[in-house]
Amino acid sequence: MSLDAIAAVLHHSQAVGTDKVVLLGIAWHMGEDPEEGCWPRISTLAKYCNVTERSVMRSLDNLVELGELEVFSKMGSAHRKDKQPNLYYLSLACVNCTGYPSHKTKETWEWD
């Protein structure tokens, strides 16, 4: 689990509703090295969101269109080609943040 990935989604994603919950589910599966991506199954993401697998697939398309996610289909190793998981990379990052949990931008951050 990468708290940085989860924080980036919470504070910087433009996604709403199911799309954002799907993105949070993907962030939950990210490791400490974002270059490695992650491999959650669509069925797992559907359980997180309490929606159908088809709804998750629509959300994935929306997130790719927003530019917040990269999806590489059927990249995992599995015995059956139809059971291979997708590989996901978040395209979000904390840019120009103070580094504190509030995620204020450096331009607007002031000492209290």
Side-chain angles (χ1 to χ4, degrees):
M1 169 180 61
S2 171
L3 292 179
D4 290 337
I6 293 169
V9 171
L10 288 173
H11 294 283
H12 301 292
S13 174
Q14 299 301 308
V16 296
T18 301
D19 296 354
K20 192 158 188 174
V21 179
V22 167
L23 199 59
L24 281 168
I26 291 169
W28 176 262
H29 284 267
M30 283 288 169
E32 292 304 315
D33 183 3
E35 297 292 318
E36 293 178 6
C38 65
W39 309 85
R41 293 192 179 278
I42 289 175
S43 60
T44 301
L45 296 172
K47 287 178 188 173
Y48 291 162
C49 304
N50 292 325
V51 298
T52 64
E53 291 182 18
R54 182 66 193 124
S55 292
V56 170
M57 289 186 271
R58 278 191 294 271
S59 289
L60 293 172
D61 290 341
N62 294 341
L63 293 165
V64 168
E65 191 174 309
L66 268 177
E68 297 187 358
L69 184 69
E70 290 182 74
V71 180
F72 295 89
S73 298
K74 310 283 187 210
M75 296 297 291
S77 60
H79 297 288
R80 291 179 45 191
K81 192 79 168 161
D82 63 325
K83 295 291 185 182
Q84 290 177 319
N86 296 330
L87 173 59
Y88 301 97
Y89 291 99
L90 287 179
S91 300
L92 284 178
C94 294
V95 178
N96 205 23
C97 286
T98 59
Y100 294 102
S102 64
H103 283 264
K104 293 179 181 178
T105 61
K106 290 179 182 175
E107 290 86 30
T108 61
W109 187 71
E110 297 177 12
W111 290 97
D112 293 330

